[in-house]
């Protein structure tokens, strides 16, 4: 896959290390820009998807690679990227990370002050939810790079991180220490942080992400990617249509007659946000096209904004695609009086709403969770392009059907990633070692009072 943009990167040969790589959102973004990447992912099913897609992968625990196998990583890697797991920080989670924000900021100060890994690990062991500590791994990798004989103690040139908006205060703290204090060896970075909406970059979905882009001093000032599309505003939508969000349970559903994605106001060069119709209506690859019009009902996936959930027409962007995308109810064959429940989104369609190419080879189990956890590739391409000083990515590069790996390629990738062409090995993370999500942050044994 070749981008139509000419390459004038601030780095001669960018090479990405993608931590917590998931099924490949950021790697697909790099692929669209002709930038090689290596992903580290510990979930077996996500790795199966990556192997099927032809992506270089280590089936491993990010923390374990840093501790035990950092010197085996390709020394030419100069871009560190990743989206640490967000469950404990997410508004949809139980909030252990939000409760530990101040403690985690303290650990960041300890790391940049040069405290030993043993001291840091001992302190982190007291966290309520161990996953909270994973947000520190990118910083620990950045420090480890400066201590790596295999790299000649050379720091990463670029750092790109993304997470749920609740992590923005931590990214701000990252920025402060990277620019003011620097790494223990004295390396400093120019850093920019912001909360961005993915629909403003052409993703047919409303999803907000906190992002950090850092460049090593001497490589110029970084900037956030400029939006290419207009933002979605539920209140503005309702005002223009003279109605609240439609309810498929009512006898009559109004279908707007105008193109709601085309805002009549002058808005510079920004394009209309992309709708579900834009993404799914036309046949492409094995996707036969989703009949329109349709409605989608979701009670989940609002990125913390209540105006972004509920029912949407195919002329609107999707609500945030999460691991519950397979539960979104789709209604179609609408007329003035009749609404029928149609087929729910396939994984191929869910991936396309995330801006994955059609026919991306979702594999293994929990595929909906893989889709929901992924970085939208088009958004990732904008982040990488901004970080590296490249022109805006060409969206059409991600609209072409994905060519999966051959069986021979898959076997080699799995042998490299797991140690065996057909199976996981002892070096792979074991499911039993996964950190289970806490059932609740409420004290055990406390029951809600029964209504009287």
């Amino acid at each position: 896959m070749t981008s139509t943009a000419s390459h004038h990167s601030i780095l001669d040969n960018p090479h990405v290390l993608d931590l917590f790589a998931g099924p490949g959102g950021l790697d697909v973004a790099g692929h669209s820009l002709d930038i090689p990447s290596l992903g580290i992912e510990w979930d077996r099913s996500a790795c199966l998807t990556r192997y099927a897609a032809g992506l270089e992968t280590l089936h491993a625990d990010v923390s374990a690679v840093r501790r035990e196998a950092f010197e085996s990583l390709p020394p030419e890697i100069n871009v560190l990227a990743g989206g640490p797991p967000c469950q404990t920080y997410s508004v949809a989670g139980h909030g252990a990370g939000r409760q530990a924000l101040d403690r985690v900021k303290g650990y960041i100060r300890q790391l940049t002050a040069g405290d030993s890994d043993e001291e840091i690990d001992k302190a982190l062991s007291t966290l309520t939810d161990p996953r909270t500590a994973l947000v520190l791994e990118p910083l620990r990798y950045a420090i480890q790079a400066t201590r790596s004989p295999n790299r000649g103690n050379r720091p990463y040139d670029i750092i790109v991180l993304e997470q749920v908006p609740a992590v923005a205060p931590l990214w701000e703290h990252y920025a402060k220490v990277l620019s003011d204090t620097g790494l223990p060896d004295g390396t400093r970075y120019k850093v920019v942080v912001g909360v961005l909406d993915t629909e403003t970059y052409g993703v047919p979905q409303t999803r907000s992400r906190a992002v950090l882009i850092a460049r090593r001093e001497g490589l110029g000032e970084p900037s956030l990617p400029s939006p290419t599309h207009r933002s979605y505003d539920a209140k503005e939508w309702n005002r223009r249509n003279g109605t609240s969000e439609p309810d498929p349970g009512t006898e009559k559903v109004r279908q707007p007659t105008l193109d709601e994605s085309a805002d009549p106001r002058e808005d510079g060069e920004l394009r209309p946000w992309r709708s579900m119709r834009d993404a799914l209506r036309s046949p492409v690859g094995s996707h036969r096209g989703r009949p329109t019009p349709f409605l989608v009902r979701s009670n989940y996936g609002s990125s913390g904004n209540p105006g972004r959930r509920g029912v949407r027409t195919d002329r609107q962007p999707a609500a945030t695609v999460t691991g519950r995308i397979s539960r979104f109810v789709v209604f179609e064959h609408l007329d003035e009086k009749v609404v029928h429940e149609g087929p729910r989104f396939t994984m191929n369609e869910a991936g396309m709403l995330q801006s994955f190419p059609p026919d991306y080879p979702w594999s293994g189990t929990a595929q909906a969770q893989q889709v929901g956890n992924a970085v939208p590739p088009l958004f990732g391409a904008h982040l990488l392009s901004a970080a590296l000083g490249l022109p805006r990515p060409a969206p059409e590069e991600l609209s072409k059907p994905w060519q999966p790996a051959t069986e021979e390629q898959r076997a080699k990738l799995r042998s490299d990633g797991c140690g065996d062409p057909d199976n996981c090995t002892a070096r792979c993370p074991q499911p039993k070692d996964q950190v289970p999500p806490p059932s609740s942050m409420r004290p055990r044994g406390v029951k809600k009072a029964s209504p009287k």
Side-chain angles (χ1 to χ4, degrees), residues 158-244:
I158 302 290
I159 301 174
V160 179
L161 306 175
E162 66 87 39
Q163 248 275 15
V164 293
V167 178
L170 274 186
W171 287 168
E172 294 283 0
H173 197 67
Y174 254 72
K176 181 175 177 59
V177 297
L178 287 173
S179 59
D180 296 349
T181 307
L183 303 182
D185 76 325
T187 299
R188 296 190 182 190
Y189 291 83
K190 299 290 187 180
V191 192
V192 63
V193 173
V195 176
L196 306 178
D197 296 327
T198 60
E199 79 268 18
T200 64
Y201 298 94
V203 179
Q205 165 198 180
T206 52
R207 185 187 193 100
S208 299
R209 305 301 288 179
V211 303
L212 175 149
I213 297 176
R215 291 180 180 175
R216 185 172 52 79
E217 277 193 340
L219 295 176
E221 292 282 346
S223 61
L224 296 173
S226 300
T228 54
H229 293 67
R230 299 168 190 150
S231 62
Y232 171 78
D233 187 313
K235 290 183 179 179
E236 177 65 13
W237 166 276
N238 294 333
R239 184 192 66 77
R240 292 205 330 266
N241 288 285
T243 182
S244 60

Side-chain angles (χ1 to χ4, degrees), residues 178-435:
L178 287 173
S179 59
D180 296 349
T181 307
L183 303 182
D185 76 325
T187 299
R188 296 190 182 190
Y189 291 83
K190 299 290 187 180
V191 192
V192 63
V193 173
V195 176
L196 306 178
D197 296 327
T198 60
E199 79 268 18
T200 64
Y201 298 94
V203 179
Q205 165 198 180
T206 52
R207 185 187 193 100
S208 299
R209 305 301 288 179
V211 303
L212 175 149
I213 297 176
R215 291 180 180 175
R216 185 172 52 79
E217 277 193 340
L219 295 176
E221 292 282 346
S223 61
L224 296 173
S226 300
T228 54
H229 293 67
R230 299 168 190 150
S231 62
Y232 171 78
D233 187 313
K235 290 183 179 179
E236 177 65 13
W237 166 276
N238 294 333
R239 184 192 66 77
R240 292 205 330 266
N241 288 285
T243 182
S244 60
E245 298 285 5
D247 182 359
T250 60
E251 178 183 359
K252 182 176 178 180
V253 177
R254 173 186 174 276
Q255 280 301 294
T257 57
L258 68 147
D259 181 1
E260 288 91 346
S261 64
D263 193 324
R265 297 172 300 177
E266 282 297 322
D267 209 357
E269 298 180 355
L270 296 182
R271 304 173 186 173
W273 37 257
R274 294 193 68 227
S275 66
M276 291 183 279
R277 172 179 289 202
D278 295 333
L280 302 180
R281 176 174 54 180
S282 300
V284 56
S286 66
H287 176 62
R288 300 179 64 180
R290 164 87 49 174
T292 57
F294 62 82
L295 300 176
V296 180
R297 183 174 65 198
S298 166
N299 61 357
Y300 190 82
S302 63
S303 289
N305 185 343
R308 291 184 165 196
R309 71 173 49 171
V311 178
R312 298 191 183 181
T313 76
D314 62 294
R315 293 177 179 265
Q316 295 167 273
T320 302
V321 174
T322 70
R324 300 186 185 184
I325 182 66
S326 57
R327 301 184 190 180
F328 289 11
V329 182
V330 182
F331 298 89
E332 56 185 32
H333 306 302
L334 284 73
D335 59 28
E336 287 298 303
K337 295 185 178 180
V338 181
V339 178
H340 299 287
E341 183 172 337
R344 300 193 179 189
F345 291 132
T346 65
M347 287 305 99
N348 191 29
E349 289 176 319
M352 292 166 69
L353 292 176
Q354 273 274 62
S355 75
F356 275 88
D359 294 341
Y360 195 71
W362 303 102
S363 305
T365 59
Q367 292 181 16
Q369 196 67 50
Q370 291 183 51
V371 175
N373 287 347
V375 178
L378 182 54
F379 181 62
H382 278 276
L383 294 181
L384 290 176
S385 294
L388 292 165
L390 294 170
R392 290 175 175 174
E396 58 271 18
E397 292 300 324
L398 291 168
S399 63
K400 302 172 183 177
W402 187 267
Q403 297 300 314
T406 64
E407 285 299 314
E408 182 179 1
Q409 291 170 331
R410 182 206 61 80
K412 183 181 185 308
L413 288 166
R414 186 157 193 183
S415 181
D416 293 342
C418 293
D420 185 277
D422 296 308
N423 294 289
C424 289
T425 64
R427 80 183 193 189
C428 297
Q430 301 300 309
K432 65 180 178 61
D433 296 327
Q434 294 190 18
V435 179

Side-chain angles (χ1 to χ4, degrees), residues 85-163:
C86 67
Q87 291 94 333
T88 62
Y89 296 92
S90 171
V91 294
H94 298 295
R98 297 196 300 277
Q99 295 176 23
L101 278 176
D102 288 339
R103 291 182 64 185
V104 173
K105 289 178 181 179
Y107 300 141
I108 291 174
R109 288 191 291 271
Q110 288 180 255
L111 284 166
T112 53
D115 285 13
S116 71
D117 283 338
E118 291 76 14
E119 292 176 283
I120 297 295
D121 288 338
K122 183 177 180 180
L124 292 175
S125 68
T126 65
L127 287 169
T128 303
D129 189 331
R131 294 174 301 176
T132 302
L134 295 177
V135 77
L136 297 173
E137 283 298 332
L139 179 57
R140 302 187 81 171
Y141 266 74
I143 294 171
Q144 189 70 23
T146 67
R147 300 169 176 169
S148 168
N150 189 42
R151 296 179 54 84
N153 302 331
R154 179 171 50 85
Y156 296 119
D157 294 311
I158 302 290
I159 301 174
V160 179
L161 306 175
E162 66 87 39
Q163 248 275 15

